[in-house]
Amino acid sequence: MNSKTMHMANAFDGSALDELDPDARTLIGRRDAVLSPSYRLFYREPIVAARGEGVWLYDPNGNQYLDVYNNVPAVGHSHPHVQRLVSEQLGVLNTHTRYLTEPVIAYSERLLALFGPELSKVVYTCTGSEAVDLALRVARYETGSAGIICTSHAYHGTTAAAAEISPSLGPNNPIGPNVVLVAPPDTYRQDPHTAGQEFADRVRDAISTLQERGVGFAGLIVDSILSSDGVQADPAGFLAPAAAAVRAAGGLWIADEVQPGFGRLGSGWWGFERHTLQPDLVVLGKPMGNGIPIAALVGRDNVMARFGRDIRYFNTFGGNPVSIAAATAVLDVIEADGLLENAREVGRQLLHGLTELAGRHAEIGDVRGSGLFVAVELVTDRDTKNPDPATASWIVNELRSRRILISASGPFENVLKIRPPLPFGAAHADQLLTELDDILGAR
């Protein structure tokens, strides 16, 4: 990766514009004329998405694409139960939380029952970025300190405060003056048995740095699957030593569950559960409403209390009845359709199948993940473990040409990120594995 350029694996760069369908070229031209250049398209040949259903996207010609990437439609694109509850609520009432309404209370009771008893309060926002922003405010107010630690290629959002702890946004995105970055565990290049303790040591060093700067230590925020850092899942529990170090220093553990939450990891509802730790604050985001804007900050009562008493916070349409209807529908479908179990079983199938592919294709250096969040790391040489972003990008675009959609991640852009909607089944996994095997065999 060129350190002087903005990081985004698999971005459309326009080099193949002349090869695109005339209608797609026209649409891209119209898009560029009105949308800010901060927007980016995926793939060498961008997808024109006309509709979605379940784990499939369709272009205007009716061609179907297997979606092995989008976690936001957690229970599947255009799910009828989500449609029904949202439509019904939209025809009845949609207003803010400063009026007394029953749905937000009922949903909150149901949501908090999925956490341990310590995490007993929730605040709603419209986006995960807003929830992260609020988590930072709460942590800083509770501790009286400003310093925040995050991992070195993390993504946590796009508000000013969240972007300051999102180094994956690229070198032109400044890291906050009260933020220290720490390298995440890398269980492919480190001893997995000591990676957790080594990470805790780096966290302790970062805490000392913040204290030396005179800003103190408010907390550490970690995506519980370390998605943008290349996906790090095992051994389960490796984050626990760092959590102990955070608590010993008087800081808060903020678990970013936007990507691993709501059963995606197949081991429970939340990613932090795999690490046998209880966060002080938990950020939830996009998947909780299947694409309808809703996010939340869940926290310990004692952590939320002083901020809530002393500072007036409201998010006008955070937790509005329509968004709550969508979130309710998501819980309904996850529970009724056994999607946690599906994530566990199909994820196990994916890991097994990808490990078999690694036995046949030397480009695959490592396979890792949990549930329906799986990573394949591509290397130029297994002995040196040298990252191979070119092959990762090539595979992503070759799969797209076969109408299978994934992306790449990690600090070197060399990690295939497999993160489909939760109804993704055994036959879908077989289709991905077969096509990936064929692509690698044709090199």
Side-chain angles (χ1 to χ4, degrees), residues 11-18 43-44:
F12 171 67
D13 62 8
S15 62
L17 185 64
D18 293 341
Y43 308 115
R44 185 174 183 273

Side-chain angles (χ1 to χ4, degrees), residues 27-42:
L27 195 57
I28 289 171
R30 290 173 59 200
R31 187 181 195 270
D32 289 346
V34 295
L35 296 185
S36 165
S38 60
Y39 285 100
R40 297 295 189 274
L41 289 167
F42 270 166

Side-chain angles (χ1 to χ4, degrees), residues 66 68 121 143 155 248 266 309 384 389-390:
L66 181 62
V68 195
K121 290 293 188 292
T143 63
Y155 172 74
R309 183 188 67 238
T384 63

Side-chain angles (χ1 to χ4, degrees), residues 10 43-44 354 357 361-365 376-379 388-408 413-418 432-433 435-443:
N10 186 40
Y43 308 115
R44 185 174 183 273
L354 290 167
L357 293 189
H361 302 289
E363 299 95 332
I364 298 177
V376 178
E377 181 152 357
L378 284 305
V379 293
D388 190 355
T391 294
S393 178
W394 175 77
I395 290 171
V396 167
N397 282 288
E398 284 295 305
L399 283 170
R400 179 258 174 266
S401 72
R402 299 174 185 225
R403 298 178 186 158
I404 296 177
L405 308 179
I406 66 168
S407 190
E413 306 176 8
N414 69 314
V415 178
L416 303 182
K417 184 158 66 172
I418 299 168
L432 170 64
L433 291 167
E435 295 293 349
L436 182 56
D437 190 21
D438 191 57
I439 287 169
L440 289 169
R443 276 178 65 82

